[in-house]
Amino acid sequence: RRPSVPALSAPQLPVRRVVPMAARQARVKAWFRDTENLKNFGRMVGGVSFFSLALLSMKRIAPGHVGLIEDRTGNLRPYVYDDGQLVIAIPIWQRCINIRLIPVKKRFIKEYKTKDGKDVEVRLLCRLQPKVHWVPEIYLKFGKDYGRGFLEKEASVDIAEVVQRHTLQELVRGPEEAVDAIAEEISTRICDACTFHKLKIA
């Protein structure tokens, strides 16, 4: 007679209770009806919002820059912040602007009309640096990229006035001394404009 083999029984898995969606919603509604629960929930939301706002408000000025704080209406705080300094700027309403102090190398190329109506291309290469105490005024006039703004708004006007007084022949094929004198006049006028707008040029 063959010996009987014991039957193997499968392990009994725990039965997971399925809660209907309607029951969950009823529990949530009941939880929110409790006044103490609402107070705790409000404290949690308020605390998280406060600390998130505090972290987002802290801005550090980049090395080699100075900082300005500007609000949404375009007004600036009457302070200039040093590099590495930690400042407070309210998110959404204010923003921190880093203005570079290291001399910025700018290349400016533009075509102008000569006295005889011809087109001549002028190329200018210079380094610009703001004077620290006048950074707010420089930013309001020329923007964050003050070098490009100055060349387009001020230097371009001076170059155009000089070029319009000479013909293409005088500017391109004239005597070397005359061409150098024209270039020197442009350089002098741009330097005077830099001095007026509190910029250093090299």
Side-chain angles (χ1 to χ4, degrees), residues 71-82:
D71 60 25
R72 295 184 63 181
T73 60
N75 297 320
L76 296 176
R77 282 187 194 170
Y79 305 104
V80 178
Y81 300 97
D82 296 330

Side-chain angles (χ1 to χ4, degrees), residues 11-200:
Q12 188 174 3
L13 299 175
V15 179
R16 180 175 295 178
R17 185 179 176 185
V18 179
V19 180
M21 184 62 68
R24 293 181 181 177
Q25 293 178 354
R27 289 183 181 180
V28 172
K29 289 180 181 179
W31 190 88
F32 275 104
R33 289 194 190 100
D34 191 341
T35 305
E36 194 63 30
N37 290 341
L38 286 176
K39 290 181 180 179
N40 293 333
F41 182 75
R43 294 189 188 104
M44 182 196 70
V45 172
V48 171
S49 301
F50 174 77
F51 284 107
S52 300
L53 186 65
L55 289 175
L56 293 174
S57 299
M58 293 185 290
K59 306 291 183 182
R60 188 171 296 279
I61 307 302
H65 295 67
V66 293
L68 301 174
I69 301 297
E70 181 184 32
D71 60 25
R72 295 184 63 181
T73 60
N75 297 320
L76 296 176
R77 282 187 194 170
Y79 305 104
V80 178
Y81 300 97
D82 296 330
D83 60 343
Q85 188 172 352
L86 190 66
V87 298
I88 302 297
I90 302 173
I92 301 174
W93 175 249
Q94 295 176 327
R95 62 173 183 152
C96 180
I97 302 167
N98 290 313
I99 305 294
R100 185 173 177 177
L101 285 181
I102 302 172
V104 182
K105 186 177 181 180
K106 290 295 180 180
R107 187 185 303 273
F108 183 72
I109 302 174
K110 190 174 180 180
E111 289 187 354
Y112 296 91
K113 289 287 186 182
T114 61
K115 185 178 179 179
D116 52 353
K118 304 292 182 60
D119 291 328
V120 63
E121 184 179 83
V122 177
R123 298 189 178 190
L124 178 65
L125 182 64
C126 62
R127 292 179 182 272
L128 295 171
Q129 182 181 15
K131 296 181 180 179
V132 176
H133 298 293
W134 298 93
V135 164
E137 287 79 2
I138 293 171
Y139 170 76
L140 291 175
K141 289 179 183 177
F142 305 116
K144 184 177 181 179
D145 189 0
Y146 58 86
R148 178 63 54 186
F150 170 79
L151 292 175
E152 291 179 352
K153 294 180 180 180
E154 295 293 333
S156 182
V157 176
D158 292 329
I159 296 172
E161 290 179 357
V162 175
V163 170
Q164 288 174 359
R165 299 204 309 264
H166 303 276
T167 63
L168 181 65
Q169 181 71 23
E170 295 172 345
L171 293 170
V172 179
R173 303 182 184 86
E176 184 176 351
E177 293 79 7
V179 174
D180 290 342
I182 296 171
E184 184 64 27
E185 181 182 359
I186 293 175
S187 178
T188 302
R189 294 182 65 141
I190 292 176
C191 288
D192 291 342
C194 284
T195 302
F196 179 79
H197 291 290
K198 309 302 185 292
L199 291 170
K200 300 176 184 177

